[in-house]
Amino acid sequence: MKRLGLLFLCLLQFSCSSQSEEKINGISFVGSRDKALKEHVEPVLKVNANYAAVMPFGFIRSLDDPNVIFNTERQWFGETRAGGKQYIQILQKNGVKIMLKPQIWVWRGEFTGDILMRTEEDWKTLEKAYTDFAITYATLAEETKAEIYCIGTELEEFVKNRPAYWKELIDKIRKVYKGKLTYAANWDEYSRTPFWSNLDYIGVDAYFPLTAVQKPTKQQMGEGWQKWKAKMLEVSKENERPILFTEFGYRSMDFTAKKPWLVDRNQMTVNLSAQADALQVLFDEFWAEKWFAGGFIWKWFIHHEDVGGVEDNRFTPQNKPAETIIRNHYGKRSSN
């Protein structure tokens, strides 16, 4: 009886602590040529964000090149280690928590999920280069006490072909960084990622196709979420880890929910309400779920007054109706 009573108290304590934990109401804070100042953080605070993803970059020349170039003088300030540290510190000074999320960029914007080496020697070279990249920023995450560290973003072929490497990398990162870990899997990749049980969050870049309608309604987009939502719940239960949207967002254009991952500079008609509605539907579908940890809006530029606006069909919600949707929802400070 005494043991059962102790177990009940432990379960009750766990339940209460889970319910009181804030959702991650995040933005993806894009690296710039410039240092981040208090004036650049103020718009983040105005949308009630409590987290920011800081994203230094490494570069690969082609999909089969094993070399990762990073932290060089030729990069923008915000893409380097020093820049990442400065961004983290100014955000933290203003009460914003951090996910440090170093990313790879392939020349000409080719998809990182297709990085694939031709030989075993090249795989070994890539593994060493990527380890240097990942440990460099894991050390920064520990140095700055960032709450979350993201070990990689949309690297499906790398993960699929070298699963043992990734588990070893996670062990190496754990030795230098004591916070929580995730990996940002693409929306069509996450269900096959083999190491979720080794991390703290199941990270998903949530660009799921919802409907092919040109001007989608909230109901159509909500219906489009249901099969994807059911699968995420299944993966969350199987791995006993919460889902975290390491990226989510929509372009302010017609067909916004058809292929939300599109980044081409096409002339698609601007549709501000579609972007705002898509975000509202996503918030309504996920933020009340206990198995869902929150997420990071893609994407937020530091020079707030110079981006977005009513003629822009890109991802940023800045200076658009979508910004109001985010402000109102993040202002609720939803709990698990």
Side-chain angles (χ1 to χ4, degrees), residues 129-178:
Y130 193 86
T131 298
D132 290 344
F133 176 64
I135 295 296
T136 293
Y137 287 106
T139 304
L140 176 61
E142 178 65 21
E143 180 182 331
T144 57
K145 303 304 178 188
E147 283 75 11
I148 306 172
Y149 181 66
C150 183
I151 68 171
T153 298
E154 298 178 5
L155 295 167
E156 182 175 12
E157 289 294 336
F158 192 176
V159 169
K160 182 172 70 175
N161 283 275
R162 314 297 283 190
Y165 161 76
W166 283 91
K167 291 182 180 180
E168 291 171 4
L169 177 65
I170 291 167
D171 289 341
K172 290 177 181 177
I173 290 172
R174 292 278 191 200
K175 291 177 181 178
V176 300
Y177 172 68
K178 306 307 179 186

Side-chain angles (χ1 to χ4, degrees), residues 270-285:
V270 173
N271 189 333
L272 300 174
S273 61
Q275 180 189 42
D277 288 348
L279 287 173
Q280 185 63 64
V281 169
L282 186 147
F283 289 142
D284 291 343
E285 287 290 339

Side-chain angles (χ1 to χ4, degrees), residues 10-22 335-336:
C10 289
L11 289 172
L12 181 63
Q13 183 178 14
F14 174 79
S15 175
C16 291
S17 64
S18 295
Q19 290 177 2
S20 64
E21 184 179 345
E22 276 191 327
S335 297
N336 284 329

Side-chain angles (χ1 to χ4, degrees), residues 55 61 76 107 121 218 252:
M55 302 172 293
R61 290 191 174 94
W76 284 4
W107 191 55
E121 182 181 0
K218 290 182 181 179
S252 48

Side-chain angles (χ1 to χ4, degrees), residues 187-198:
W187 68 273
D188 59 352
E189 169 196 358
Y190 80 95
S191 63
R192 298 184 297 277
T193 303
F195 45 71
W196 292 131
S197 62
N198 301 96

Side-chain angles (χ1 to χ4, degrees), residues 118-129:
R118 298 176 183 272
T119 67
E120 179 66 16
E121 182 181 0
D122 282 349
W123 276 120
K124 292 292 187 183
T125 300
L126 176 62
E127 288 175 352
K128 182 181 184 304

